[in-house]
Amino acid sequence: MENLNQIESDIFNKIKNAKERESLEVIKTEIFGKKGIITDLFKKVGSLEQDKRKEYASKLNSLKTKVIDSIEKKLSDLDQSEINNKLQNEKIDVTLPGRSYFSGKIHPVSQVIDEVTSIFSEIGFSVEEGPDVENEYYNFSALNTPENHPARDMHDTFYLDLSKDLLLRTHTSPVQIRTMMKSKPPFKIIAPGRTYRHDSDQTHSPMFHQLEGLHIDKNINMGHLKGCLYYFVKKFFEVDKVKIRFRPSHFPFTEPSAEVDIGYKIQDGKIKIGEGDKWLEILGCGMVHPAVLKNAKVNPIQYQGYAFGVGIDRLAMLKYGINDLRAFFENDIRWLEFYGFDPLDIPTNYRGLSR
Ligand code: PHE
């Protein structure tokens, strides 16, 4: 009878030395195939004497189980080391600079917000923010626009509940109230952000952007407002001379109120800002109404000031010659490639706002 121990150690050596799945498969056939080592041993069981048969067969069986287990184990070891090899070889160093990449663009609206922030911060305005979901009090009542005031209808408000308390803010003016309520005067802030009205055509989108400005201090008058807006328009459109017109208007939260138009002309199919005899409205403004100051716990005898609200999307359209507002919000990557800005070119007053 063969030496089972010798056979066993031969088999285990073979298994141990297998380098990959394929060679292990070959070894498996060598052991368990039709003419395999263990198959042969089993064939011989029948020729043994009765009393040895049982013992020998049970030895063979346990050898068989051991070999199968060892093959399984080896297979999973090989799989694991294959994975490890792959991980090792395909390791990516994410800190290396890219070889080919698609560089994203800054949306014109974000660009304009960066530009106006830079312009106003130069003359001492800081940036404030307020929530898009407002309540009726901040959006209307505190701004001297009580219930049933006709100005509420003009705002085409999206209400969020039946009691008409929660709404999507229709302008950035509620940030005036929030700013004044949370600290003490003086205030000199701008507040860019999204605003919402139920309106949609070539120049209106249900979501659009405004920039609120608020300057409250002792002895602030309409001259400061004009000076500030002249400075802003010249800087923003990057021109030395501008034609600006203040047209009397009405807002419940300012008194007196004005709308500001900017002079322009169309030359060779392109818009030229600051010259010509056409006018385009770009913002609403005025001296903050004493009732608004009172609502925001500011003493209107001691303090007064001006506020303004600019349409940011309009500014972007004018400055960058974009004629359909809806394209701003369609997320067409080709449009953004064309009208977008380089992310590394952050607008500053000294390096230039736009290039
Ligand atoms: N909130 C006004 C609007 O959306 C604009 C505005 C702001 C007017 C501040 C005056 C003062 O139309």
Side-chain angles (χ1 to χ4, degrees):
M1 202 65 243
E2 275 94 338
N3 181 351
L4 271 191
N5 290 342
Q6 184 58 45
I7 294 177
E8 179 174 336
S9 81
D10 285 352
I11 289 179
F12 284 122
N13 263 336
K14 275 190 178 189
I15 296 175
K16 200 175 100 197
N17 293 331
K19 293 272 179 301
E20 64 262 331
R21 252 177 176 276
E22 289 73 27
S23 47
L24 198 60
E25 291 299 335
V26 175
I27 293 169
K28 218 167 141 185
T29 323
E30 279 173 20
I31 302 169
F32 296 113
K34 256 189 182 162
K35 293 189 175 134
I37 306 170
I38 291 192
T39 319
D40 273 352
L41 291 175
F42 271 109
K43 277 182 197 155
K44 286 175 190 152
V45 175
S47 61
L48 288 176
E49 285 163 34
Q50 191 81 33
D51 55 335
K52 295 217 170 124
R53 223 185 260 171
K54 204 169 167 198
E55 191 197 337
Y56 186 75
S58 104
K59 272 191 184 162
L60 265 188
N61 269 325
S62 74
L63 174 63
K64 184 181 168 185
T65 324
K66 260 164 61 185
V67 171
I68 290 175
D69 287 352
S70 145
I71 291 178
E72 295 285 309
K73 166 98 177 35
K74 182 74 184 179
L75 273 177
S76 88
D77 285 355
L78 283 176
D79 285 350
Q80 191 55 47
S81 73
E82 194 183 335
I83 291 173
N84 289 344
N85 271 340
K86 265 196 169 164
L87 285 176
Q88 191 62 33
N89 296 335
E90 294 170 13
K91 199 163 73 178
I92 295 170
D93 182 352
V94 289
T95 63
L96 284 174
R99 272 186 294 237
S100 73
Y101 58 91
F102 172 73
S103 139
K105 292 280 179 136
I106 300 292
H107 194 284
V109 170
S110 307
Q111 168 77 15
V112 167
I113 291 178
D114 288 347
E115 289 180 23
V116 294
T117 306
S118 164
I119 293 171
F120 280 104
S121 62
E122 196 86 337
I123 52 169
F125 284 81
S126 54
V127 178
E128 283 290 338
E129 279 184 327
D132 290 15
V133 175
E134 260 301 359
N135 54 45
E136 172 282 327
Y137 180 74
Y138 287 105
N139 197 80
F140 291 123
S141 299
L143 287 162
N144 202 30
T145 317
E147 222 175 313
N148 303 323
H149 192 290
R152 287 204 184 194
D153 292 342
M154 284 168 10
H155 277 221
D156 300 310
T157 313
F158 287 112
Y159 287 99
L160 299 177
D161 62 354
L162 287 178
S163 66
K164 294 197 166 179
D165 183 31
L166 277 187
L167 46 81
L168 292 174
R169 66 176 176 189
T170 57
H171 50 180
T172 41
S173 299
V175 187
Q176 289 187 31
I177 306 293
R178 288 182 176 276
T179 305
M180 292 192 279
M181 303 261 280
K182 77 174 183 204
S183 64
K184 298 244 169 309
F187 304 105
K188 201 172 179 187
I189 60 109
I190 51 167
R194 295 175 208 261
T195 46
Y196 305 82
R197 289 185 202 175
H198 195 283
D199 210 351
S200 180
D201 59 34
Q202 195 173 349
T203 53
H204 294 92
S205 138
M207 190 283 293
F208 57 106
H209 298 82
Q210 280 193 342
L211 177 86
E212 195 76 11
L214 175 73
H215 185 188
I216 303 287
D217 207 336
K218 293 175 176 160
N219 305 318
I220 297 288
N221 60 46
M222 196 96 181
H224 294 106
L225 168 61
K226 279 186 113 172
C228 171
L229 292 178
Y230 266 101
Y231 160 83
F232 163 64
V233 172
K234 277 201 279 190
K235 280 274 182 179
F236 180 74
F237 288 105
E238 299 173 71
V239 290
D240 294 330
K241 272 205 291 198
V242 276
K243 265 169 72 178
I244 292 182
R245 175 168 85 177
F246 283 71
R247 213 168 5 88
S249 181
H250 177 265
F251 300 103
F253 34 91
T254 45
E255 179 58 38
S257 304
E259 276 171 322
V260 171
D261 301 335
I262 173 164
Y264 74 98
K265 69 177 177 190
I266 303 282
Q267 201 174 41
D268 306 327
K270 277 201 173 151
I271 186 160
K272 284 206 91 165
I273 301 292
E275 320 170 15
D277 48 14
K278 290 188 187 311
W279 296 101
L280 201 108
E281 183 199 323
I282 55 163
L283 63 91
C285 62
M287 300 305 292
V288 177
H289 197 293
V292 174
L293 294 174
K294 257 189 226 158
N295 289 339
K297 311 276 180 281
V298 174
N299 181 349
I301 310 284
Q302 277 187 310
Y303 288 98
Q304 59 279 137
Y306 59 84
F308 55 85
V310 195
I312 292 180
D313 319 85
R314 273 235 166 145
L315 289 182
M317 290 170 78
L318 275 175
K319 184 163 178 182
Y320 297 114
I322 304 167
N323 50 27
D324 192 339
L325 175 66
R326 286 167 297 194
F328 275 72
F329 310 118
E330 273 166 5
N331 287 333
D332 185 331
I333 198 77
R334 294 160 302 180
W335 184 90
L336 198 56
E337 263 290 290
F338 186 79
Y339 285 109
F341 291 82
D342 189 332
L344 298 176
D345 251 349
I346 298 159
T348 56
N349 289 325
Y350 41 94
R351 277 185 43 230
L353 293 172
S354 58
R355 275 184 264 178

PDB file of all heavy atoms in Angstrom, residues 310-338:
ATOM      1  N   VAL A 310     -31.149  96.430  -6.661  1.00  0.00           N
ATOM      2  CA  VAL A 310     -30.717  96.326  -8.058  1.00  0.00           C
ATOM      3  C   VAL A 310     -31.028  94.930  -8.589  1.00  0.00           C
ATOM      4  O   VAL A 310     -30.864  93.943  -7.871  1.00  0.00           O
ATOM      5  CB  VAL A 310     -29.181  96.523  -8.175  1.00  0.00           C
ATOM      6  CG1 VAL A 310     -28.773  96.790  -9.609  1.00  0.00           C
ATOM      7  CG2 VAL A 310     -28.693  97.610  -7.256  1.00  0.00           C
ATOM      8  N   GLY A 311     -31.452  94.852  -9.844  1.00  0.00           N
ATOM      9  CA  GLY A 311     -31.639  93.546 -10.476  1.00  0.00           C
ATOM     10  C   GLY A 311     -30.298  93.027 -10.979  1.00  0.00           C
ATOM     11  O   GLY A 311     -29.747  93.541 -11.946  1.00  0.00           O
ATOM     12  N   ILE A 312     -29.775  91.993 -10.311  1.00  0.00           N
ATOM     13  CA  ILE A 312     -28.440  91.486 -10.654  1.00  0.00           C
ATOM     14  C   ILE A 312     -28.410  90.858 -12.051  1.00  0.00           C
ATOM     15  O   ILE A 312     -27.483  91.085 -12.837  1.00  0.00           O
ATOM     16  CB  ILE A 312     -27.982  90.454  -9.616  1.00  0.00           C
ATOM     17  CG1 ILE A 312     -27.729  91.159  -8.279  1.00  0.00           C
ATOM     18  CG2 ILE A 312     -26.739  89.713 -10.077  1.00  0.00           C
ATOM     19  CD1 ILE A 312     -27.268  90.239  -7.175  1.00  0.00           C
ATOM     20  N   ASP A 313     -29.450  90.094 -12.379  1.00  0.00           N
ATOM     21  CA  ASP A 313     -29.481  89.434 -13.696  1.00  0.00           C
ATOM     22  C   ASP A 313     -29.492  90.467 -14.814  1.00  0.00           C
ATOM     23  O   ASP A 313     -28.847  90.308 -15.843  1.00  0.00           O
ATOM     24  CB  ASP A 313     -30.711  88.537 -13.803  1.00  0.00           C
ATOM     25  CG  ASP A 313     -30.965  87.776 -12.522  1.00  0.00           C
ATOM     26  OD1 ASP A 313     -31.621  88.353 -11.629  1.00  0.00           O
ATOM     27  OD2 ASP A 313     -30.480  86.651 -12.402  1.00  0.00           O
ATOM     28  N   ARG A 314     -30.242  91.546 -14.573  1.00  0.00           N
ATOM     29  CA  ARG A 314     -30.278  92.653 -15.536  1.00  0.00           C
ATOM     30  C   ARG A 314     -28.897  93.245 -15.756  1.00  0.00           C
ATOM     31  O   ARG A 314     -28.501  93.541 -16.879  1.00  0.00           O
ATOM     32  CB  ARG A 314     -31.185  93.755 -14.996  1.00  0.00           C
ATOM     33  CG  ARG A 314     -32.606  93.550 -15.354  1.00  0.00           C
ATOM     34  CD  ARG A 314     -33.070  94.799 -16.061  1.00  0.00           C
ATOM     35  NE  ARG A 314     -34.331  94.516 -16.698  1.00  0.00           N
ATOM     36  CZ  ARG A 314     -35.303  95.376 -16.819  1.00  0.00           C
ATOM     37  NH1 ARG A 314     -35.160  96.606 -16.352  1.00  0.00           N
ATOM     38  NH2 ARG A 314     -36.402  95.032 -17.425  1.00  0.00           N
ATOM     39  N   LEU A 315     -28.186  93.449 -14.657  1.00  0.00           N
ATOM     40  CA  LEU A 315     -26.833  93.993 -14.759  1.00  0.00           C
ATOM     41  C   LEU A 315     -25.960  93.070 -15.602  1.00  0.00           C
ATOM     42  O   LEU A 315     -25.199  93.523 -16.458  1.00  0.00           O
ATOM     43  CB  LEU A 315     -26.188  94.126 -13.378  1.00  0.00           C
ATOM     44  CG  LEU A 315     -26.705  95.203 -12.426  1.00  0.00           C
ATOM     45  CD1 LEU A 315     -25.872  95.162 -11.143  1.00  0.00           C
ATOM     46  CD2 LEU A 315     -26.599  96.588 -13.061  1.00  0.00           C
ATOM     47  N   ALA A 316     -26.091  91.772 -15.357  1.00  0.00           N
ATOM     48  CA  ALA A 316     -25.279  90.796 -16.088  1.00  0.00           C
ATOM     49  C   ALA A 316     -25.632  90.827 -17.567  1.00  0.00           C
ATOM     50  O   ALA A 316     -24.749  90.801 -18.436  1.00  0.00           O
ATOM     51  CB  ALA A 316     -25.489  89.398 -15.519  1.00  0.00           C
ATOM     52  N   MET A 317     -26.929  90.911 -17.872  1.00  0.00           N
ATOM     53  CA  MET A 317     -27.353  90.944 -19.276  1.00  0.00           C
ATOM     54  C   MET A 317     -26.782  92.163 -19.984  1.00  0.00           C
ATOM     55  O   MET A 317     -26.267  92.082 -21.097  1.00  0.00           O
ATOM     56  CB  MET A 317     -28.883  90.977 -19.362  1.00  0.00           C
ATOM     57  CG  MET A 317     -29.550  89.685 -18.948  1.00  0.00           C
ATOM     58  SD  MET A 317     -31.329  89.857 -18.795  1.00  0.00           S
ATOM     59  CE  MET A 317     -31.831  89.808 -20.509  1.00  0.00           C
ATOM     60  N   LEU A 318     -26.860  93.306 -19.289  1.00  0.00           N
ATOM     61  CA  LEU A 318     -26.385  94.562 -19.882  1.00  0.00           C
ATOM     62  C   LEU A 318     -24.882  94.545 -20.099  1.00  0.00           C
ATOM     63  O   LEU A 318     -24.377  94.885 -21.158  1.00  0.00           O
ATOM     64  CB  LEU A 318     -26.691  95.717 -18.937  1.00  0.00           C
ATOM     65  CG  LEU A 318     -28.071  96.345 -19.034  1.00  0.00           C
ATOM     66  CD1 LEU A 318     -28.222  97.390 -17.948  1.00  0.00           C
ATOM     67  CD2 LEU A 318     -28.245  96.981 -20.411  1.00  0.00           C
ATOM     68  N   LYS A 319     -24.164  94.142 -19.068  1.00  0.00           N
ATOM     69  CA  LYS A 319     -22.711  94.223 -19.156  1.00  0.00           C
ATOM     70  C   LYS A 319     -22.138  93.199 -20.128  1.00  0.00           C
ATOM     71  O   LYS A 319     -21.167  93.483 -20.828  1.00  0.00           O
ATOM     72  CB  LYS A 319     -22.090  94.029 -17.767  1.00  0.00           C
ATOM     73  CG  LYS A 319     -20.577  94.196 -17.767  1.00  0.00           C
ATOM     74  CD  LYS A 319     -20.034  94.416 -16.380  1.00  0.00           C
ATOM     75  CE  LYS A 319     -18.512  94.520 -16.406  1.00  0.00           C
ATOM     76  NZ  LYS A 319     -17.958  94.679 -15.072  1.00  0.00           N
ATOM     77  N   TYR A 320     -22.739  92.007 -20.156  1.00  0.00           N
ATOM     78  CA  TYR A 320     -22.147  90.960 -20.972  1.00  0.00           C
ATOM     79  C   TYR A 320     -22.941  90.627 -22.229  1.00  0.00           C
ATOM     80  O   TYR A 320     -22.719  89.578 -22.858  1.00  0.00           O
ATOM     81  CB  TYR A 320     -21.886  89.721 -20.107  1.00  0.00           C
ATOM     82  CG  TYR A 320     -20.883  90.062 -19.022  1.00  0.00           C
ATOM     83  CD1 TYR A 320     -21.226  90.061 -17.683  1.00  0.00           C
ATOM     84  CD2 TYR A 320     -19.596  90.470 -19.378  1.00  0.00           C
ATOM     85  CE1 TYR A 320     -20.311  90.425 -16.704  1.00  0.00           C
ATOM     86  CE2 TYR A 320     -18.681  90.831 -18.411  1.00  0.00           C
ATOM     87  CZ  TYR A 320     -19.041  90.812 -17.077  1.00  0.00           C
ATOM     88  OH  TYR A 320     -18.126  91.180 -16.131  1.00  0.00           O
ATOM     89  N   GLY A 321     -23.890  91.525 -22.597  1.00  0.00           N
ATOM     90  CA  GLY A 321     -24.588  91.384 -23.869  1.00  0.00           C
ATOM     91  C   GLY A 321     -25.372  90.086 -24.001  1.00  0.00           C
ATOM     92  O   GLY A 321     -25.330  89.421 -25.031  1.00  0.00           O
ATOM     93  N   ILE A 322     -26.065  89.709 -22.954  1.00  0.00           N
ATOM     94  CA  ILE A 322     -26.876  88.489 -23.001  1.00  0.00           C
ATOM     95  C   ILE A 322     -28.323  88.944 -23.136  1.00  0.00           C
ATOM     96  O   ILE A 322     -28.785  89.760 -22.339  1.00  0.00           O
ATOM     97  CB  ILE A 322     -26.701  87.687 -21.697  1.00  0.00           C
ATOM     98  CG1 ILE A 322     -25.221  87.386 -21.474  1.00  0.00           C
ATOM     99  CG2 ILE A 322     -27.536  86.412 -21.734  1.00  0.00           C
ATOM    100  CD1 ILE A 322     -24.869  86.884 -20.091  1.00  0.00           C
ATOM    101  N   ASN A 323     -29.046  88.425 -24.163  1.00  0.00           N
ATOM    102  CA  ASN A 323     -30.367  89.039 -24.331  1.00  0.00           C
ATOM    103  C   ASN A 323     -31.563  88.196 -23.884  1.00  0.00           C
ATOM    104  O   ASN A 323     -32.676  88.690 -23.883  1.00  0.00           O
ATOM    105  CB  ASN A 323     -30.566  89.563 -25.756  1.00  0.00           C
ATOM    106  CG  ASN A 323     -30.218  88.496 -26.763  1.00  0.00           C
ATOM    107  OD1 ASN A 323     -30.330  87.314 -26.449  1.00  0.00           O
ATOM    108  ND2 ASN A 323     -29.772  88.907 -27.940  1.00  0.00           N
ATOM    109  N   ASP A 324     -31.338  86.964 -23.477  1.00  0.00           N
ATOM    110  CA  ASP A 324     -32.477  86.220 -22.937  1.00  0.00           C
ATOM    111  C   ASP A 324     -32.184  85.751 -21.515  1.00  0.00           C
ATOM    112  O   ASP A 324     -31.288  84.942 -21.288  1.00  0.00           O
ATOM    113  CB  ASP A 324     -32.818  85.018 -23.825  1.00  0.00           C
ATOM    114  CG  ASP A 324     -34.174  84.410 -23.455  1.00  0.00           C
ATOM    115  OD1 ASP A 324     -34.643  84.639 -22.320  1.00  0.00           O
ATOM    116  OD2 ASP A 324     -34.764  83.717 -24.309  1.00  0.00           O
ATOM    117  N   LEU A 325     -32.961  86.261 -20.591  1.00  0.00           N
ATOM    118  CA  LEU A 325     -32.744  85.947 -19.179  1.00  0.00           C
ATOM    119  C   LEU A 325     -32.923  84.457 -18.888  1.00  0.00           C
ATOM    120  O   LEU A 325     -32.246  83.884 -18.043  1.00  0.00           O
ATOM    121  CB  LEU A 325     -33.732  86.766 -18.333  1.00  0.00           C
ATOM    122  CG  LEU A 325     -33.752  86.505 -16.831  1.00  0.00           C
ATOM    123  CD1 LEU A 325     -32.445  86.922 -16.195  1.00  0.00           C
ATOM    124  CD2 LEU A 325     -34.899  87.252 -16.176  1.00  0.00           C
ATOM    125  N   ARG A 326     -33.840  83.813 -19.643  1.00  0.00           N
ATOM    126  CA  ARG A 326     -34.154  82.424 -19.322  1.00  0.00           C
ATOM    127  C   ARG A 326     -32.946  81.507 -19.493  1.00  0.00           C
ATOM    128  O   ARG A 326     -32.793  80.524 -18.775  1.00  0.00           O
ATOM    129  CB  ARG A 326     -35.331  81.943 -20.175  1.00  0.00           C
ATOM    130  CG  ARG A 326     -36.641  82.553 -19.687  1.00  0.00           C
ATOM    131  CD  ARG A 326     -37.751  82.353 -20.661  1.00  0.00           C
ATOM    132  NE  ARG A 326     -37.490  83.034 -21.932  1.00  0.00           N
ATOM    133  CZ  ARG A 326     -38.418  83.234 -22.859  1.00  0.00           C
ATOM    134  NH1 ARG A 326     -39.652  82.811 -22.664  1.00  0.00           N
ATOM    135  NH2 ARG A 326     -38.125  83.855 -23.983  1.00  0.00           N
ATOM    136  N   ALA A 327     -32.055  81.872 -20.444  1.00  0.00           N
ATOM    137  CA  ALA A 327     -30.858  81.049 -20.672  1.00  0.00           C
ATOM    138  C   ALA A 327     -29.987  80.953 -19.415  1.00  0.00           C
ATOM    139  O   ALA A 327     -29.267  79.978 -19.228  1.00  0.00           O
ATOM    140  CB  ALA A 327     -30.040  81.633 -21.816  1.00  0.00           C
ATOM    141  N   PHE A 328     -30.080  81.951 -18.552  1.00  0.00           N
ATOM    142  CA  PHE A 328     -29.299  81.948 -17.312  1.00  0.00           C
ATOM    143  C   PHE A 328     -29.553  80.695 -16.490  1.00  0.00           C
ATOM    144  O   PHE A 328     -28.682  80.225 -15.769  1.00  0.00           O
ATOM    145  CB  PHE A 328     -29.705  83.136 -16.426  1.00  0.00           C
ATOM    146  CG  PHE A 328     -29.006  84.420 -16.747  1.00  0.00           C
ATOM    147  CD1 PHE A 328     -29.316  85.124 -17.885  1.00  0.00           C
ATOM    148  CD2 PHE A 328     -28.054  84.929 -15.887  1.00  0.00           C
ATOM    149  CE1 PHE A 328     -28.683  86.319 -18.168  1.00  0.00           C
ATOM    150  CE2 PHE A 328     -27.416  86.124 -16.165  1.00  0.00           C
ATOM    151  CZ  PHE A 328     -27.729  86.819 -17.310  1.00  0.00           C
ATOM    152  N   PHE A 329     -30.793  80.210 -16.551  1.00  0.00           N
ATOM    153  CA  PHE A 329     -31.191  79.161 -15.610  1.00  0.00           C
ATOM    154  C   PHE A 329     -31.491  77.832 -16.300  1.00  0.00           C
ATOM    155  O   PHE A 329     -32.109  76.957 -15.735  1.00  0.00           O
ATOM    156  CB  PHE A 329     -32.382  79.641 -14.781  1.00  0.00           C
ATOM    157  CG  PHE A 329     -32.124  81.000 -14.185  1.00  0.00           C
ATOM    158  CD1 PHE A 329     -32.914  82.093 -14.516  1.00  0.00           C
ATOM    159  CD2 PHE A 329     -31.057  81.183 -13.324  1.00  0.00           C
ATOM    160  CE1 PHE A 329     -32.643  83.343 -13.983  1.00  0.00           C
ATOM    161  CE2 PHE A 329     -30.778  82.433 -12.785  1.00  0.00           C
ATOM    162  CZ  PHE A 329     -31.575  83.513 -13.115  1.00  0.00           C
ATOM    163  N   GLU A 330     -31.045  77.687 -17.571  1.00  0.00           N
ATOM    164  CA  GLU A 330     -31.314  76.447 -18.287  1.00  0.00           C
ATOM    165  C   GLU A 330     -30.200  75.416 -18.117  1.00  0.00           C
ATOM    166  O   GLU A 330     -30.343  74.274 -18.519  1.00  0.00           O
ATOM    167  CB  GLU A 330     -31.536  76.740 -19.777  1.00  0.00           C
ATOM    168  CG  GLU A 330     -32.983  77.075 -20.059  1.00  0.00           C
ATOM    169  CD  GLU A 330     -33.201  77.683 -21.428  1.00  0.00           C
ATOM    170  OE1 GLU A 330     -32.223  77.768 -22.212  1.00  0.00           O
ATOM    171  OE2 GLU A 330     -34.335  78.086 -21.704  1.00  0.00           O
ATOM    172  N   ASN A 331     -29.090  75.835 -17.546  1.00  0.00           N
ATOM    173  CA  ASN A 331     -27.959  74.923 -17.311  1.00  0.00           C
ATOM    174  C   ASN A 331     -27.441  74.258 -18.583  1.00  0.00           C
ATOM    175  O   ASN A 331     -27.116  73.071 -18.567  1.00  0.00           O
ATOM    176  CB  ASN A 331     -28.340  73.831 -16.308  1.00  0.00           C
ATOM    177  CG  ASN A 331     -28.440  74.381 -14.919  1.00  0.00           C
ATOM    178  OD1 ASN A 331     -27.778  75.372 -14.602  1.00  0.00           O
ATOM    179  ND2 ASN A 331     -29.277  73.786 -14.099  1.00  0.00           N
ATOM    180  N   ASP A 332     -27.411  75.000 -19.672  1.00  0.00           N
ATOM    181  CA  ASP A 332     -26.830  74.460 -20.900  1.00  0.00           C
ATOM    182  C   ASP A 332     -25.319  74.679 -20.826  1.00  0.00           C
ATOM    183  O   ASP A 332     -24.844  75.803 -20.797  1.00  0.00           O
ATOM    184  CB  ASP A 332     -27.426  75.189 -22.114  1.00  0.00           C
ATOM    185  CG  ASP A 332     -26.950  74.582 -23.412  1.00  0.00           C
ATOM    186  OD1 ASP A 332     -25.832  74.027 -23.440  1.00  0.00           O
ATOM    187  OD2 ASP A 332     -27.697  74.660 -24.406  1.00  0.00           O
ATOM    188  N   ILE A 333     -24.594  73.555 -20.832  1.00  0.00           N
ATOM    189  CA  ILE A 333     -23.146  73.630 -20.606  1.00  0.00           C
ATOM    190  C   ILE A 333     -22.446  74.439 -21.709  1.00  0.00           C
ATOM    191  O   ILE A 333     -21.462  75.121 -21.475  1.00  0.00           O
ATOM    192  CB  ILE A 333     -22.557  72.208 -20.454  1.00  0.00           C
ATOM    193  CG1 ILE A 333     -21.189  72.235 -19.786  1.00  0.00           C
ATOM    194  CG2 ILE A 333     -22.473  71.481 -21.758  1.00  0.00           C
ATOM    195  CD1 ILE A 333     -21.246  72.431 -18.307  1.00  0.00           C
ATOM    196  N   ARG A 334     -23.006  74.409 -22.945  1.00  0.00           N
ATOM    197  CA  ARG A 334     -22.383  75.172 -24.041  1.00  0.00           C
ATOM    198  C   ARG A 334     -22.539  76.666 -23.806  1.00  0.00           C
ATOM    199  O   ARG A 334     -21.645  77.462 -24.070  1.00  0.00           O
ATOM    200  CB  ARG A 334     -23.020  74.792 -25.391  1.00  0.00           C
ATOM    201  CG  ARG A 334     -22.742  73.364 -25.783  1.00  0.00           C
ATOM    202  CD  ARG A 334     -23.732  72.881 -26.792  1.00  0.00           C
ATOM    203  NE  ARG A 334     -25.098  73.000 -26.280  1.00  0.00           N
ATOM    204  CZ  ARG A 334     -26.172  72.649 -26.944  1.00  0.00           C
ATOM    205  NH1 ARG A 334     -26.073  72.164 -28.158  1.00  0.00           N
ATOM    206  NH2 ARG A 334     -27.378  72.769 -26.416  1.00  0.00           N
ATOM    207  N   TRP A 335     -23.690  77.048 -23.282  1.00  0.00           N
ATOM    208  CA  TRP A 335     -23.940  78.460 -22.970  1.00  0.00           C
ATOM    209  C   TRP A 335     -22.960  78.936 -21.905  1.00  0.00           C
ATOM    210  O   TRP A 335     -22.355  79.992 -21.993  1.00  0.00           O
ATOM    211  CB  TRP A 335     -25.394  78.611 -22.490  1.00  0.00           C
ATOM    212  CG  TRP A 335     -25.819  80.024 -22.222  1.00  0.00           C
ATOM    213  CD1 TRP A 335     -26.371  80.887 -23.105  1.00  0.00           C
ATOM    214  CD2 TRP A 335     -25.729  80.731 -20.972  1.00  0.00           C
ATOM    215  NE1 TRP A 335     -26.629  82.093 -22.497  1.00  0.00           N
ATOM    216  CE2 TRP A 335     -26.246  82.023 -21.179  1.00  0.00           C
ATOM    217  CE3 TRP A 335     -25.266  80.403 -19.695  1.00  0.00           C
ATOM    218  CZ2 TRP A 335     -26.307  82.982 -20.181  1.00  0.00           C
ATOM    219  CZ3 TRP A 335     -25.322  81.352 -18.689  1.00  0.00           C
ATOM    220  CH2 TRP A 335     -25.840  82.622 -18.947  1.00  0.00           C
ATOM    221  N   LEU A 336     -22.776  78.088 -20.900  1.00  0.00           N
ATOM    222  CA  LEU A 336     -21.889  78.449 -19.796  1.00  0.00           C
ATOM    223  C   LEU A 336     -20.434  78.526 -20.247  1.00  0.00           C
ATOM    224  O   LEU A 336     -19.684  79.395 -19.818  1.00  0.00           O
ATOM    225  CB  LEU A 336     -22.043  77.414 -18.676  1.00  0.00           C
ATOM    226  CG  LEU A 336     -21.547  77.846 -17.300  1.00  0.00           C
ATOM    227  CD1 LEU A 336     -22.213  79.125 -16.850  1.00  0.00           C
ATOM    228  CD2 LEU A 336     -21.782  76.750 -16.289  1.00  0.00           C
ATOM    229  N   GLU A 337     -20.055  77.607 -21.157  1.00  0.00           N
ATOM    230  CA  GLU A 337     -18.714  77.652 -21.718  1.00  0.00           C
ATOM    231  C   GLU A 337     -18.468  79.014 -22.370  1.00  0.00           C
ATOM    232  O   GLU A 337     -17.401  79.590 -22.267  1.00  0.00           O
ATOM    233  CB  GLU A 337     -18.578  76.580 -22.812  1.00  0.00           C
ATOM    234  CG  GLU A 337     -17.950  75.303 -22.342  1.00  0.00           C
ATOM    235  CD  GLU A 337     -16.485  75.494 -22.044  1.00  0.00           C
ATOM    236  OE1 GLU A 337     -15.707  75.688 -22.994  1.00  0.00           O
ATOM    237  OE2 GLU A 337     -16.122  75.455 -20.852  1.00  0.00           O
ATOM    238  N   PHE A 338     -19.498  79.502 -23.070  1.00  0.00           N
ATOM    239  CA  PHE A 338     -19.365  80.731 -23.829  1.00  0.00           C
ATOM    240  C   PHE A 338     -19.442  81.981 -22.940  1.00  0.00           C
ATOM    241  O   PHE A 338     -18.614  82.876 -23.040  1.00  0.00           O
ATOM    242  CB  PHE A 338     -20.447  80.797 -24.912  1.00  0.00           C
ATOM    243  CG  PHE A 338     -20.289  81.961 -25.840  1.00  0.00           C
ATOM    244  CD1 PHE A 338     -19.366  81.928 -26.871  1.00  0.00           C
ATOM    245  CD2 PHE A 338     -21.059  83.110 -25.665  1.00  0.00           C
ATOM    246  CE1 PHE A 338     -19.205  83.010 -27.713  1.00  0.00           C
ATOM    247  CE2 PHE A 338     -20.897  84.203 -26.507  1.00  0.00           C
ATOM    248  CZ  PHE A 338     -19.969  84.153 -27.529  1.00  0.00           C
TER     249      PHE A 338
END
